Amino acid sequence: MSDQILVVDDEAEIADLIEFYLHAEGFSVFKFYSAKEALECIRRTAPDLAILDVMLPDMDGFALCRKIRETHHYPIIMLTAKDAETDKITGLTLGADDYITKPFRPLELVARVKSQLRRYKRYNPAGSQTGNGSILTHLDLEMDIPAHQCLIGGAPLTLTPTEFSILRILLENKGTVVSAEDLFHQIWQDEYYDKANNTITAHIRHLREKLHDTLEKPKYIKTIWGVGYKIETS
């Protein structure tokens, strides 16, 4: 069965263009021009990935992203206005995994969709393998990789696929600094990010909020200024 992609954009030309290129790559597409229609679809079925425009007529893409994240953890890619840095940060903070600015190259969007799906399936329970290193811990934080589950103090920790990936990499490299560039390559395995991109910074900030961590006195994720991030050995 082909992967199912939810596309929500009130500009018919853009939605149709995305649908055309995704169909050409063998994906199934649920295409909608409003958030209301998209939410009705989400209630009936669970897509494998969502592409959401920020500007929608009835509910902005941020609110739709937030609604999806209440019950689902599949990847979300936001479509933002050109150079709208605030939109990018807001989307990532609300749980989006990636963003692409308009106008965009359709093949680049398809590449990002494939990259997000590869990573999501890699860390999904069905795609995970048991073995050494399947349980990662730090203080009261426990990550069960095969179950794709995180606990903090025994309570479930809800993470997006990207947040799970970042935390896993830092736990696997505990005691070692991991640069933002290395995180890019390990998570997305693509070259479409430049060093000035603040995607990882936004995800780290949101991850810290969920961990109730602080930048000044970090219990879990420590920033090594000008170098990267690390989790100390305990």
Side-chain angles (χ1 to χ4, degrees):
M1 183 178 178
S2 61
D3 290 315
Q4 299 177 323
I5 312 299
L6 173 68
V7 177
V8 190
D9 195 312
D10 65 331
E11 295 184 69
E13 296 84 358
I14 293 178
D16 293 347
L17 181 67
I18 295 173
E19 180 184 39
F20 175 82
Y21 276 87
L22 290 175
H23 275 164
E25 294 295 325
F27 294 109
S28 297
V29 177
F30 299 118
K31 181 182 65 177
F32 300 101
Y33 305 121
S34 70
K36 180 180 178 181
E37 294 174 317
L39 287 171
E40 291 174 356
C41 173
I42 293 167
R43 294 188 188 101
R44 298 192 306 267
T45 186
D48 298 289
L49 181 144
I51 300 173
L52 312 178
D53 185 28
V54 170
M55 300 300 292
L56 294 171
D58 52 346
M59 174 190 295
D60 65 47
F62 301 137
L64 181 55
C65 176
R66 189 186 301 111
K67 290 289 292 183
I68 291 174
R69 280 289 173 255
E70 289 176 0
T71 52
H72 299 287
H73 305 296
Y74 49 76
I76 297 175
I77 298 175
M78 303 293 297
L79 300 179
T80 72
K82 184 175 177 60
D83 298 326
E85 194 68 21
T86 301
D87 286 354
K88 300 170 188 176
I89 299 302
T90 301
L92 294 172
T93 301
L94 293 175
D97 296 278
D98 198 1
Y99 61 81
I100 189 167
T101 56
K102 295 181 178 180
F104 57 85
R105 291 172 294 183
L107 290 179
E108 180 183 354
L109 176 60
V110 170
R112 297 199 188 194
V113 167
K114 290 181 177 179
S115 177
Q116 288 292 334
L117 288 172
R118 281 197 305 268
R119 182 176 49 77
Y120 182 55
K121 291 177 180 179
R122 178 183 176 189
Y123 296 126
N124 212 2
S128 301
Q129 298 178 357
T130 57
N132 293 333
S134 61
I135 304 294
L136 303 173
T137 61
H138 175 68
L139 302 176
D140 60 346
L141 177 65
E142 179 179 302
M143 173 178 283
D144 186 330
I145 295 173
H148 198 273
Q149 182 182 50
C150 271
L151 300 175
I152 183 167
L157 183 64
T158 302
L159 302 176
T160 67
T162 298
E163 291 165 355
F164 188 94
S165 299
I166 291 173
L167 189 55
R168 173 179 177 171
I169 291 169
L170 293 177
L171 285 169
E172 288 175 335
N173 293 275
K174 187 157 56 168
T176 303
V177 180
V178 183
S179 70
E181 186 175 359
D182 286 340
L183 286 170
F184 282 147
H185 291 313
Q186 291 189 57
I187 294 172
W188 284 281
Q189 301 176 2
D190 285 296
E191 298 295 335
Y192 55 78
Y193 288 105
D194 58 47
K195 293 182 179 180
N197 194 291
N198 54 17
T199 305
I200 290 294
T201 302
H203 283 301
I204 290 286
R205 182 166 63 246
H206 201 217
L207 194 51
R208 280 195 175 114
E209 291 174 359
K210 292 185 177 183
L211 292 167
H212 301 294
D213 212 1
T214 64
L215 179 63
E216 295 76 17
K217 295 182 179 180
K219 180 179 179 182
Y220 303 101
I221 301 174
K222 183 177 182 180
T223 297
I224 308 300
W225 296 107
V227 184
Y229 307 94
K230 78 171 181 177
I231 291 178
E232 300 279 12
T233 55
S234 54

